[in-house]
């Protein structure tokens, strides 16, 4: 059965919850550059004084480092996978790191909260003759809950010629070189709902198969075989042509602004963190023609944090001028982590998780240049937080166009692992901020889930001007999922689902409008542009709920949308329009998207 024909569950697939229904329908590349001495605009930490915290140190027990001579690599990979395969809301966190060299006969199966990465400056420095696999045997062939895992900075030579990466949200595939093809669906083409690929080269064909939506940025592919609902490309060499809605390809020749995620690498026996440089009108990978451009910082300039450390200690390290490297584990916070110095890096390994225990904000930044936040999960605590992540203070106005703050693979969760509440998950006040791949999720399953139990009204609120989002996944908020108040904002790709558990129409009534829009641009905005946005409804508690539209925006010439879709999953709720009062209603229980190619 082809993906497009999946309109109802087959007998072998369980009909538990909506994640089983989601799948129902289914050369600006950098020139060669010598790295040279590490350059950094962030002041080196001062000479240690009594009581000062040290930089550097070991990476802790949950960072497993291999080299080609390490015995028993496959056995260790299998051990971690056995523990993490079904551990969707458990506390285990792992980073699997491979030193440069060539490895043979490995199949690294990745479960929850597991990251695999090479330690070279280029993916081709670390080659695995084998596979890095995500499949869905743990969930009866359904990949729609394959969250929170990642692969970075490796070259793969797949055993069969094609590597399987069947993921859902929060599962980035970054800086990878697949010397073959890439299959984004689980074995048997079960349901799949992902995903994100960046700075990667796939020599063969990418096969989405049953994947409903996907965003690929600044990469190169040998081909792309199909699309279900929403396939978006920016800066991808070899991408298909612009054909939305049939096939559903949205294609931007370049990415307006991008800066790749920081990554750990080895310089001899010493760990360093590489900081790729900013690119404008980017296209293709950053590493294809020699050493990547950017700067490299020694680990001695990082406070290497371990689970159990206090927020006060993390803030002391930042005040000393150290960056933060968060090793895998769970960190409880009784005060916000305050990132105030320009060019500070906060980098998590293995889905390091921050939990604000007492209603505080987990992370706040100052309105300064060049902060980089990457690779961690913020999990709301049981006491309501007004916000979980704040980028810049209210009223921030400084120009950061030459050196913006970047937020990459920073994921937020409200509920699922237990009760959690947050009024607004992310607030972006600083101008020119780049949000590059986030999943902001009010949980629809797990523990501590209910309309008011894990109350979370708003997903992302953008107040700052000139903010760019590349790869937004925002789901299930009680009111608006994305609100945009800043001028000249841009979004490339949105995947959204409205909250399933609304008890009735009145609970989602937005004044005179039926249902809160997934993505709302404020009436005061005169300039905004977005490409490739999708919103789905699955009101399983009250299927009679009507959602007037997925997207709301002022009808002015400077506010432009390209390639929008809304879908009613199995007829559980309906959309009347796509954006404002434009677009056809969804069609009963047929799970067929309603689309608008251009607005206005």
């Amino acid at each position: 059965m082809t993906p497009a024909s999946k309109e109802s569950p087959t007998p072998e697939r369980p009909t538990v919850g909506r994640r089983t229904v989601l799948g129902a329908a289914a050369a600006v590349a950098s020139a060669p550059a010598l790295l040279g001495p590490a350059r950094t605009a962030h002041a080196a930490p001062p000479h240690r004084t009594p009581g000062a915290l040290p930089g550097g140190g070991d990476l802790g027990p949950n960072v497993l480092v291999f080299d080609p001579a390490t015995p028993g690599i496959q056995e260790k990979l299998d051990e971690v996978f056995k523990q993490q395969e079904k551990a969707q809301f458990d506390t285990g966190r792992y980073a699997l790191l491979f030193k440069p060299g060539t490895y043979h006969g490995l199949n690294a199966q990745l479960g929850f909260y597991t990251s695999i990465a090479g330690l070279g400056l280029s993916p081709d420095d670390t080659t695995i003759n084998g596979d890095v696999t995500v499949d869905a045997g743990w969930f009866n062939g359904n990949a729609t809950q394959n969250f929170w895992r990642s692969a970075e900075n490796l070259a793969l030579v797949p055993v069969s010629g094609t590597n399987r990466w069947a993921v859902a949200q929060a599962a980035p595939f970054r800086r990878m070189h697949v010397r073959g093809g890439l299959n984004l669906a689980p074995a048997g083409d079960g349901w799949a709902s992902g995903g994100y690929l960046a700075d990667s080269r796939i020599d063969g064909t990418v096969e989405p198969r049953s994947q409903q939506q996907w965003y690929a940025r600044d990469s190169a592919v040998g081909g792309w075989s199909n699309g279900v609902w929403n396939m978006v490309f920016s800066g991808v060499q070899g991408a298909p042509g612009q054909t939305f809605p049939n096939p559903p390809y949205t294609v931007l020749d370049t990415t307006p602004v991008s800066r790749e995620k920081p990554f750990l690498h080895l310089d001899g026996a010493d760990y360093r963190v590489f900081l790729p440089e900013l690119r404008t009108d980017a296209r293709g990978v950053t590493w294809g023609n020699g050493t990547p451009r950017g700067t490299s910082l020694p680990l001695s300039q990082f406070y290497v944090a371990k689970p159990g450390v206090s927020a006060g200690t993390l803030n002391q390290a930042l005040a000393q001028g150290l960056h933060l490297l968060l090793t895998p584990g769970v960190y409880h916070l009784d005060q916000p982590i305050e990132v105030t110095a320009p060019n500070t890096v906060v980098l998590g390994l293995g889905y390091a998780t921050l939990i604000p225990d007492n209603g505080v904000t987990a992370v706040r930044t100052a309105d300064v240049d060049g902060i980089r936040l990457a690779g961690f999960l913020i999990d709301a605590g049981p006491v309501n937080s007004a916000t979980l992540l704040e980028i810049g203070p209210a009223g921030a106005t400084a120009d950061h166009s030459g050196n913006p703050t970047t937020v990459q693979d920073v994921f937020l969760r409200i509920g699922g692992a237990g009760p959690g509440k947050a009024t607004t998950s992310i607030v972006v006040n600083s101008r020119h901020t780049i949000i590059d791949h986030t999943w902001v999720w009010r949980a629809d399953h797990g523990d501590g889930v209910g309309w008011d139990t894990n109350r979370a009204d708003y997903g992302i609120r953008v107040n700052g001007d000139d903010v760019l989002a590349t790869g937004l996944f925002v789901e299930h908020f009680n009111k608006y999922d994305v609100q945009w108040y800043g001028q000249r904002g841009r979004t490339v790709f949105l995947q959204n689902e409205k909250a399933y558990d609304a008890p009735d129409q009145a609970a989602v009534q937005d004044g005179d409008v039926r249902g809160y829009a997934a993505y709302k641009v404020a009436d005061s905005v005169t300039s905004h542009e977005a490409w490739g946005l999708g919103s789905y409804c699955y009101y399983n508690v009250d299927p009679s709920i009507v959602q007037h539209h997925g997207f709301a925006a002022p009808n002015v010439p400077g506010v432009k949308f390209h390639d929008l879709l809304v879908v009613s999953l199995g007829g559980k709720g309906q959309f009347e329009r796509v954006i404002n009062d434009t677009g056809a209603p969804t069609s009963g229980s047929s799970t067929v998207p309603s689309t608008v190619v251009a607005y206005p």
Side-chain angles (χ1 to χ4, degrees):
M1 181 160 47
T2 61
S5 69
K6 292 179 180 170
E7 297 177 2
S8 61
T10 55
E12 69 273 19
R13 296 191 185 120
T15 56
V16 289
R18 170 262 155 231
R19 284 278 172 191
T20 51
V21 174
L22 177 60
V28 181
S30 295
L34 295 176
L35 182 61
R39 297 177 287 115
T40 175
H42 186 58
H47 183 72
R48 282 187 64 195
T49 57
L53 297 168
D58 73 90
L59 300 179
N62 287 357
V63 176
L64 309 182
V65 182
F66 305 105
D67 65 43
T70 302
I73 297 176
Q74 186 64 56
E75 289 77 5
K76 193 62 182 177
L77 296 175
D78 291 345
E79 179 186 333
V80 173
F81 177 65
K82 182 179 180 181
Q83 177 181 316
Q84 298 301 117
E85 180 184 11
K86 302 179 182 180
Q88 183 169 179
F89 298 113
D90 288 352
T91 57
R93 305 285 187 273
Y94 288 93
L96 312 174
L97 305 182
F98 286 75
K99 294 180 180 180
T102 301
Y103 300 77
H104 297 282
L106 298 181
N107 181 18
Q109 300 181 81
L110 300 187
F112 287 99
Y113 313 109
T114 305
S115 298
I116 188 170
L119 288 169
L121 276 175
S122 165
D124 289 326
D125 293 340
T126 310
T127 298
I128 293 177
N129 288 299
D131 296 83
V132 171
T133 302
V134 177
D135 206 344
W138 75 278
F139 199 43
N140 299 313
N142 176 351
T144 60
Q145 292 184 26
N146 282 348
F147 313 137
W148 303 307
R149 63 201 76 195
S150 66
E152 301 183 51
N153 204 30
L154 292 166
L156 305 178
V157 184
V159 170
S160 70
T162 299
N163 189 75
R164 187 181 302 279
W165 186 255
V167 297
Q169 289 74 23
F173 199 79
R174 284 187 182 268
R175 198 178 176 76
M176 296 287 288
H177 185 188
V178 180
R179 298 176 193 163
L182 186 64
N183 183 348
L184 304 179
D189 285 350
W191 300 328
S193 173
Y196 175 92
L197 177 149
D199 200 25
S200 294
R201 182 179 298 278
I202 315 301
D203 292 348
T205 298
V206 178
E207 302 174 44
R209 304 174 74 90
S210 56
Q211 273 287 355
Q212 290 143 346
Q213 63 276 319
W214 196 273
Y215 175 48
R217 179 183 63 71
D218 299 347
S219 294
V221 299
W224 195 275
S225 67
N226 74 291
V228 177
W229 288 341
N230 194 28
M231 305 281 123
V232 179
F233 309 83
S234 68
V236 177
Q237 297 166 338
Q242 168 71 36
T243 54
F244 187 90
N246 187 26
Y249 297 152
T250 297
V251 184
L252 286 72
D253 191 56
T254 62
T255 303
V257 187
S258 68
R259 185 169 65 190
E260 297 304 329
K261 179 185 173 183
F263 62 92
L264 199 65
H265 72 100
L266 279 172
D267 180 11
D270 298 325
Y271 288 107
R272 302 178 71 94
V273 173
F274 193 84
L275 309 179
E277 72 176 14
L278 192 72
R279 297 199 293 171
T280 56
D281 296 323
R283 181 173 171 82
V285 300
T286 64
W287 46 268
N289 296 312
T291 303
R293 292 183 180 273
T295 63
S296 184
L297 303 179
L299 198 64
S300 61
Q301 292 187 17
F302 285 78
Y303 177 71
V304 180
K306 308 292 189 350
V309 69
S310 70
T313 299
L314 297 175
N315 283 328
Q316 180 187 345
L318 291 168
Q320 283 179 214
L322 291 167
H323 308 276
L324 295 183
L325 186 72
L326 305 173
T327 64
V330 178
Y331 298 74
H332 287 270
L333 307 177
D334 61 359
Q335 60 182 275
I337 297 173
E338 302 280 3
V339 185
T340 59
N343 302 300
T344 299
V345 180
V346 180
L347 176 62
L349 301 179
Y351 287 81
T353 300
L354 308 176
I355 300 178
D357 287 324
N358 55 350
V360 299
T361 297
V363 180
R364 292 194 302 219
T365 75
D367 191 27
V368 296
D369 273 358
I371 291 171
R372 305 189 197 216
L373 308 179
F376 55 89
L377 170 65
I378 298 174
D379 200 358
V383 178
N384 185 73
S385 294
T387 59
L388 294 174
L389 172 63
E390 294 181 13
I391 306 302
T397 59
D399 186 317
H400 304 295
S401 55
N403 188 13
T405 287
T406 48
V407 181
Q408 300 178 285
D409 299 348
V410 174
F411 308 118
L412 292 89
R413 178 174 69 196
I414 303 93
K421 293 185 179 182
T423 303
T424 305
S425 291
I426 302 178
V427 177
V428 181
N429 294 313
S430 287
R431 293 180 62 196
H432 301 102
T433 297
I434 299 173
I435 304 172
D436 178 45
H437 189 222
T438 187
W439 184 37
V440 189
W441 185 53
R442 176 182 168 265
D444 63 282
H445 63 270
D447 293 332
V449 172
W451 184 248
D452 291 310
T453 305
N454 61 330
R455 183 79 191 187
D457 283 351
Y458 308 109
I460 298 178
R461 177 177 174 131
V462 178
N463 297 319
D465 294 340
D466 307 292
V467 171
L468 171 66
T470 51
L472 289 183
F473 297 76
V474 189
E475 298 186 303
H476 307 153
F477 285 84
N478 295 81
K479 293 184 179 179
Y480 295 116
D481 298 276
V482 179
Q483 296 172 289
W484 211 293
Y485 290 85
Q487 298 289 352
R488 297 175 299 280
R490 291 174 291 185
T491 293
V492 184
F493 183 89
L494 168 74
Q495 186 262 324
N496 166 263
E497 296 170 359
K498 297 305 301 174
Y500 309 151
D501 55 345
D504 50 41
Q505 186 75 52
V508 292
Q509 190 72 14
D510 182 17
D512 295 334
V513 178
R514 295 201 281 186
Y516 289 88
Y519 187 103
K520 180 175 174 62
V521 179
D523 291 343
S524 58
V525 172
T526 58
S527 178
H528 187 91
E529 194 160 11
W531 298 260
L533 312 185
S535 179
Y536 322 143
C537 74
Y538 182 72
Y539 289 116
N540 62 329
V541 174
D542 182 357
S544 69
I545 290 175
V546 172
Q547 178 83 24
H548 180 66
H549 48 217
F551 311 99
N555 188 1
V556 297
V559 175
K560 302 175 183 178
F561 288 80
H562 312 272
D563 298 357
L564 306 175
L565 67 92
V566 296
V567 180
S568 169
L569 301 176
K572 306 293 187 183
Q574 299 290 335
F575 286 95
E576 292 179 311
R577 297 288 183 264
V578 178
I579 179 170
N580 293 348
D581 294 318
T582 298
T586 50
S587 48
S589 60
S590 62
T591 316
V592 173
S594 177
T595 62
V596 167
V597 174
Y599 183 88

